[in-house]
Amino acid sequence: MENVNLLKLADGQLMPQEGFGLYKITDQSTITSSIRNAYNAGYRLFDTAQLYKNEAEVGAALQELSLPRKKLFITTKVAEPNQGFKRTILSVKDSLHKLKLDYVNLLLIHWPIERAFFDTWAALEELKKQGLTRSIGVSNYQIIHLQYLATQAHEMPVMNQVERHPRLNQKPLIEYDHQHGIVTQAWSPLGRGTILTNPILEKIAKKHGKSPAQIVLRWHLQSGVAFIPKSVHEARIKQNIDIYNFSLTAEEMAAIDGLNDFTRVGKEPALVYEYNQKW
Ligand code: A2P
């Protein structure tokens, strides 16, 4: 933890730049051991979502491990079927019940959808007022969604969590977020592991005596974005936070930026918006 940078969100809350993603980890024993290993390795930010169907298991793990609440930064996200003012409020109370928490540090709208675009955001503003979350933000919002939100929001998101990895480097969006005081956080920072055999990454890794995954995570760090790698393996969990004792040169950063080819591992946000759901 000592090594992990803290970013100051626009509302004043401090957020670890690196966190631990809990996507696709669902069974209780794996969740408990992953959170234990991650906490021991220094991670303090844990990222879940209603869609991951593991909030109750995460809550049970936090309780079993007796981790100090004040040291933790917990994020959850409102799923598409729960969007809309009332349903969002009820579903977040249910999330808190499952997580066995009085508040989360950060609450996000998981995907923009047309059906409940402004109402869901109004619910997040209300939940923040009620103290059930410290900060509010969005996920998978493109520039156009942020601009549209700004037409009715009373306060703007402090965070935008989006797919980001070397094949989708999101330069214009990161620049827009930055200009508007929004921290960008990368989900699937390793591109679900699919990019790790890229020869350019392998070459840079060899030069630094690091793994390609560590090179990619260091690239996120030096790009100024937040990032949440996921692994269920202790060695990888440790490896993914052991990135604070070397740095990439400007040329190496540029070479990794050059791997962008607009390949997504997840859904296209504009289509989720139009269809009101993932497909
Ligand atoms: P596993 O959980 O079996 O370790 P992302 O965070 O981009 O979604 O990537 C997660 C994927 O990458 C998971 O399949 C994870 O597998 C794998 N992964 C995580 N860390 C590493 C690493 N250091 N080296 C190789 N693969 C990794």
Side-chain angles (χ1 to χ4, degrees):
M1 175 61 177
E2 298 75 48
N3 290 328
V4 173
N5 291 334
L6 293 173
L7 299 176
K8 194 171 199 175
L9 301 173
D11 58 18
Q13 186 174 205
L14 293 175
M15 184 186 90
Q17 188 171 356
E18 178 166 7
F20 189 75
L22 289 156
Y23 176 60
K24 287 207 169 147
I25 316 183
T26 48
D27 79 282
Q28 185 66 67
S29 67
T30 313
I31 293 223
T32 306
S33 65
S34 300
I35 293 180
R36 181 193 292 114
N37 290 331
Y39 190 86
N40 289 341
Y43 299 80
R44 294 294 178 268
L45 186 157
F46 294 93
D47 179 278
T48 182
Q50 293 171 350
L51 275 177
Y52 302 169
K53 303 215 179 304
N54 62 11
E55 288 172 312
E57 289 74 11
V58 171
L62 296 178
Q63 189 173 57
E64 188 188 329
L65 298 168
S66 306
L67 302 181
R69 177 66 185 94
K70 280 193 181 153
K71 292 204 167 174
L72 299 172
F73 189 108
I74 307 290
T75 305
T76 196
K77 317 184 193 81
V78 178
E80 294 78 83
N82 292 333
Q83 287 207 38
F85 189 84
K86 276 193 187 152
R87 291 197 71 163
T88 295
I89 303 262
L90 287 174
S91 76
V92 171
K93 288 182 175 167
D94 185 48
S95 290
L96 288 169
H97 178 73
K98 288 178 175 152
L99 288 163
K100 304 186 203 299
L101 298 176
D102 302 328
Y103 69 94
V104 286
N105 296 79
L106 178 63
L107 179 64
L108 305 177
I109 300 178
H110 208 143
W111 289 85
I113 58 171
E114 189 273 338
R115 168 179 76 74
F117 188 78
F118 293 109
D119 292 348
T120 307
W121 184 251
L124 263 60
E125 290 177 333
E126 175 61 25
L127 287 158
K128 186 180 167 215
K129 268 191 209 134
Q130 291 181 16
L132 301 184
T133 181
R134 294 269 156 91
S135 295
I136 51 176
V138 292
S139 186
N140 300 303
Y141 276 44
Q142 296 170 311
I143 293 175
I144 192 82
H145 301 118
L146 293 168
Q147 290 172 330
Y148 191 37
L149 188 64
T151 64
Q152 292 195 30
H154 294 98
E155 57 182 289
M156 283 298 281
V158 295
M159 240 261 317
N160 186 15
Q161 183 188 107
V162 297
E163 178 179 343
R164 183 192 194 243
H165 43 73
R167 298 190 70 178
L168 185 72
N169 74 26
Q170 300 272 26
K171 274 222 156 150
L173 178 60
I174 291 171
E175 182 61 24
Y176 181 90
D177 285 350
H178 183 66
Q179 282 167 0
H180 293 81
I182 301 169
V183 170
T184 307
Q185 189 181 50
W187 65 257
S188 272
L190 301 172
R192 303 248 160 92
T194 56
I195 43 156
L196 301 178
T197 51
N198 177 283
I200 291 175
L201 293 175
E202 281 179 341
K203 194 171 152 212
I204 299 173
K206 210 168 166 198
K207 195 184 127 201
H208 289 279
K210 293 282 177 184
S211 72
Q214 289 172 309
I215 298 301
V216 172
L217 296 173
R218 183 76 203 185
W219 169 77
H220 285 291
L221 182 80
Q222 289 183 216
S223 306
V225 303
F227 50 103
I228 46 167
K230 168 256 165 190
S231 176
V232 294
H233 296 102
E234 186 176 2
R236 287 177 174 174
I237 291 171
K238 282 187 181 157
Q239 184 195 120
N240 292 348
I241 203 168
D242 179 20
I243 58 165
Y244 296 91
N245 50 5
F246 74 105
S247 50
L248 299 171
T249 64
E251 292 73 32
E252 289 166 340
M253 288 294 289
I256 302 171
D257 285 343
L259 299 177
N260 184 54
D261 64 2
F262 305 99
T263 300
R264 288 182 182 275
V265 300
K267 300 297 181 192
E268 162 60 55
L271 292 177
V272 178
Y273 177 82
E274 288 177 9
Y275 284 88
N276 288 300
Q277 60 184 22
K278 286 192 278 167
W279 61 94

